[in-house]
Amino acid sequence: MDDLYRELIIDHYKNPQFRGHLDPNDIHFEDDNPLCGDHIEVTLRVDGSGKVADGRFDGKGCAISQASADLLIESIIGKPVEDVKKLSKQDVLDLLGIELGPVRLKCALLSLKVLKAGVYGLGESSEALIE
Amino acid sequence: MDDLYRELIIDHYKNPQFRGHLDPNDIHFEDDNPLCGDHIEVTLRVDGSGKVADGRFDGKGCAISQASADLLIESIIGKPVEDVKKLSKQDVLDLLGIELGPVRLKCALLSLKVLKAGVYGLGESSEALIE
Amino acid sequence: MTLDVNLLRQDFPILSREVRPGIPLVYLDSTATSQKPRPVLEAMEAFYRTNNANIHRGVHTLAEEATAMYEQAREKVAQFINAPSAEQIIFTRNATESINLVAYTWARANLKAGDRIILTEMEHHSNMVPWIMLATERGVELEFIPVTPDGLLDLDVYRTLLTRSPKLVAVSGMSNVLGTINPIAEIVRLAHAAGAITLVDGAQSVPHLPVDVQALGVDFLAFSAHKMLGPSGIGALYGRHDLLEKMPPFMGGGDMIKTVHLRSFAPNDIPHKYEAGTPAIAEAVGFGAAVDYLNKLGMQAVAAHEHEIVNYALDRLEEIPGVKVFGPTADKKGGVASFTLEGVHPHDIAQILDRDGVAIRAGHHCAQPLHEKFGITATARASFYVYSLPQEVDALVNGIYKVKEIFG
Amino acid sequence: MTLDVNLLRQDFPILSREVRPGIPLVYLDSTATSQKPRPVLEAMEAFYRTNNANIHRGVHTLAEEATAMYEQAREKVAQFINAPSAEQIIFTRNATESINLVAYTWARANLKAGDRIILTEMEHHSNMVPWIMLATERGVELEFIPVTPDGLLDLDVYRTLLTRSPKLVAVSGMSNVLGTINPIAEIVRLAHAAGAITLVDGAQSVPHLPVDVQALGVDFLAFSAHKMLGPSGIGALYGRHDLLEKMPPFMGGGDMIKTVHLRSFAPNDIPHKYEAGTPAIAEAVGFGAAVDYLNKLGMQAVAAHEHEIVNYALDRLEEIPGVKVFGPTADKKGGVASFTLEGVHPHDIAQILDRDGVAIRAGHHCAQPLHEKFGITATARASFYVYSLPQEVDALVNGIYKVKEIFG
Ligand SMILES: Cc1ncc(COP(=O)(O)O)c(C=O)c1O
Ligand SMILES: Cc1ncc(COP(=O)(O)O)c(C=O)c1O
């Protein structure tokens, strides 16, 4: 059990640091996981040098989806947007520190998908963004 | 082998007694076996007392379909049309004297189907006629 | 007659699997798909090892045997739901295809803009999306029998909807989320009185309850083998004889034709008219064996067993603080218990239970509109079948207490 | 590399069957359906005994295993035909459904009255009837590449037909009657140059020849597992990525959706968008195992073996007085020998051969227009696969001599 619902995840789920909505913002995107109705919205502010000045996520869903969103936002603040574009599936899994089956993987990666669709300025998110 | 392609069948196939077409006729019907392209046409003359005065079949197909048509026409000449209406699958199998799987059964019963559709004056033949 | 569950479990090889070393499987997901007893697996295996051939067109022994076995399976399925004749059973891939077949054939041949179809708010997506597609394409109107807070269909509203001359009433025999057993005989009687054709989504009712199409009077009934101890890859559509005769074909290809010319064709007789190409032959044989197995148990006994186990499950679940079970009381439902646990997403419940080998499902269970109606996005669902044991309910309940501890 | 046929035959349990006591099976009907090697049967059996669950929506271990196995099978099938990505493989029931899927989605979304479709006179009904249905419904025009007396496509006529701006060219990779291996790369190149989309009916080519969709450039490719050592109940459609993305869905139901509301839905991503309801899960696993088995043999070796055996068969058949073999010379064809025997209906040939355990097919083989073209209603057809032996050709030839004697 310990490997799976590590205290870290329960912690970020119950006490997220970056839950909220930035208004005004420079980047805004949201999407669902159709499987379970998980929903993630991401808002970011970008500074003059192209770095993420601040970020928030909002949404609802399982502990994995919400905790990974919180961990992800935490990890990108202060980073160049160009670096955010390069984030991979593995980066999120490293943040979570657990192994996941294919279904829960979608929960874990929803925030990444939303984030990358946002920073790329796409009208739609896509599985290709998290490969 | 003997049970299957009994000389009787080869005989009626190669030297049919009732191949032909009656014109004029009182009853005329034809149909195909879509599976193999077998085709049977039956023409009958009926006398004043409702008996089959004469009959012919024409068509092409396998030995079983053609021999059973020949045997069937032979068996009904002189019989009341009302009796022809009552002919069953088993009657034809008795004429042939062999056992057949479901596909060849259709070959064997095509002439019965055509005959019964004809005597019932139906616009279409149907599986129900040979049950 | 009651089921000897401990004995029959020995027929299901997967039930002695350990999910992880030392952790036996507690399979509570039969509404999604059932497990398969040995006789079903053996029937398919024996077919492939002894009789395998393509059907209907072959003269050789294997082809004749395979054809006979395929058609015998059709007979068995027909008898299982008391269809007047085997030719009224069309083999499809699953209940979903069965419903789509009706939508693409009967409905597209008979419905035009402004015509009304009555569905219910508790339908599975399979009995919803085909009609939404038709509505979008043709301007047909969809109307919905509401679900009451306790998970029943509101028949008063249904009666009102019927006054507007619907052409079709399409409703599930049993909800895969709420477990609600709908009053099909009455729904059909009222529909017919209003001049509507009826389609019953029997994906859950046929596996779990005695279903008699003649007694119910349904015009179309759709179901899947994989939910009733049979293999994946095969389902069935039952249809009223005159409707099947008249409907246009669905897919074109081998076997569904009488004759083909370059620019025209004549369709085959039913049921072949609706079975284009090489069908799921071995799967039909397995479907037949599944029906044999259920007949041996007796569908009354199956229903009684599930009733008993769901009754126990509801009692135990409702005693857990924070658990909310959806759907009617046990006397009105089949072996399904969908629930939420306050503060914990169903996905997390399912995943934590899985660590102890308890397999339940979490999500919208292909009934998103129903979940919307209840203001939720997902539920956790435990579901039961002939092999389910009260101890498995206990394992579920213990697991839920563990979840509560973790999320504390 | 050549096949060790005697060795690999041991993998096929049915090949040691006796049709009747003392009469071993000589299976010469692989074009209708292939036999299955033990690894395919074992993969499905193991799935049911160990991993069986419904897929895509489940969090528990079995559901995750089953999903992974199903998707892994898709990867294998994709690699087998060198598809750029697995999501371009849609699992269907059979080649027939694959073609119908394109007819119901891409074609109905893109073709209007007066648009032209080019087919060939040698098409199987499965690649003919869906287009006849569309033509009847929409007023689309069908045109046919003629078959020459020696069983080849007349490419000069094809070039002329292409000048009339057809929208679709749908042609079989290999004829199931003549055995003709059509020049797909060239046909596709010419079609594309004329602005047409291409669909290849690969029901015979994919099992018997190396097929590379990228090298051929085809837009759609349809095939069936049961003809390539896999189970019944599953087939595949390969499609070009952008086409699959844009086409409307086919059947509606579970799994093919992203979201559903009472009167609207959003389709899922490919390939799921086209897979409604519970798919043929165990069958996909078996399909994957069949592809593994063929890869182990090597498709070059498979094709070479069949070429050798059909070469021998043509030599032996043509020496029999009264026998006429249809189709091109052995160098232009796969392992199919369709023939007539003067004065004897093919059904009678097949039935007499069956008495000696020799299983061949007789009829129009779902290619009635082709038979019409040759002025016949039926042929007898012997067909070969990886397990076929020259001795089996000898048994066929001996049987034909016996037929001649009986009909003498
Ligand atoms: C050339 C060709 N196309 C299509 C088909 C149809 O295949 P299936 O019946 O598996 O859909 C066949 C097999 O009979 C075939 O030989
Ligand atoms: C009520 C109901 N209808 C339809 C279906 C669809 O069944 P299948 O996926 O086998 O087509 C299901 C199963 O998920 C169901 O529970």
Side-chain angles (χ1 to χ4, degrees), chain A residues 1-5 10 13-14 33-38 60-64 99-101 103-104 107, chain C residues 343-353 355-356 362-365 368 376-378 402 406-408:
Chain A
M1 190 55 73
D2 23 56
D3 68 328
L4 188 63
Y5 278 77
I10 300 292
Y13 173 61
K14 293 173 73 174
N33 178 344
L35 191 83
C36 50
D38 286 358
K60 58 189 166 45
C62 60
I64 304 253
E99 291 211 351
L100 288 172
V103 170
R104 301 314 305 283
C107 303
Chain C
V344 186
H345 190 282
H347 261 182
D348 295 318
I349 304 175
Q351 184 147 12
I352 292 169
L353 286 173
R355 305 300 290 182
D356 293 332
H364 53 53
H365 317 299
Q368 224 178 356
I376 50 181
T377 54
K402 212 159 179 177
I406 291 171
F407 277 80

Side-chain angles (χ1 to χ4, degrees), chain B residues 1 3-5 10 13-14 34-38 60-64 99-100 103-104 107, chain D residues 343-345 347-349 351-353 355-356 362-365 368 377-378 402 406-408:
Chain B
M1 191 55 76
D3 68 329
L4 187 64
Y5 278 77
I10 299 291
Y13 174 61
K14 293 174 72 175
L35 191 81
C36 50
D38 286 359
K60 57 188 166 47
C62 60
I64 304 253
E99 291 209 351
L100 289 171
V103 169
R104 301 316 303 283
C107 304
Chain D
V344 187
H345 190 283
H347 260 182
D348 296 317
I349 304 175
Q351 185 149 12
I352 293 171
L353 287 174
R355 305 300 289 181
D356 292 332
H364 54 52
H365 317 297
Q368 225 178 354
T377 55
K402 213 160 180 177
I406 291 171
F407 277 80

Side-chain angles (χ1 to χ4, degrees), chain B residues 8-58:
Chain B
L8 179 74
I9 290 171
I10 299 291
D11 222 55
H12 278 268
Y13 174 61
K14 293 174 72 175
N15 306 304
Q17 302 300 303
F18 296 91
R19 185 178 282 280
H21 176 91
L22 298 174
D23 195 8
N25 58 58
D26 301 301
I27 286 169
H28 176 200
F29 199 75
E30 54 191 308
D31 202 7
D32 297 315
N33 178 345
L35 191 81
C36 50
D38 286 359
H39 182 84
I40 294 283
E41 177 207 60
V42 167
T43 44
L44 303 182
R45 285 195 194 128
V46 182
D47 67 18
S49 67
K51 287 197 175 120
V52 176
D54 202 359
R56 289 290 181 283
F57 81 96
D58 207 349

Side-chain angles (χ1 to χ4, degrees), chain D residues 84 88 102 106 167-169 184 187-189 191-193 195-200 213-214 216-222 237-244 247:
Chain D
Q88 288 170 262
V102 177
W106 178 84
K167 291 280 163 56
L168 173 69
V169 175
I184 293 302
I187 290 172
V188 167
R189 195 175 45 75
H192 285 170
I197 290 292
T198 55
L199 178 147
V200 170
V213 289
Q214 297 190 62
L216 296 173
V218 303
D219 302 302
F220 293 110
L221 177 73
L237 173 69
Y238 158 81
R240 222 175 70 197
H241 205 282
D242 59 322
L243 295 172
L244 293 180
M247 281 151 44

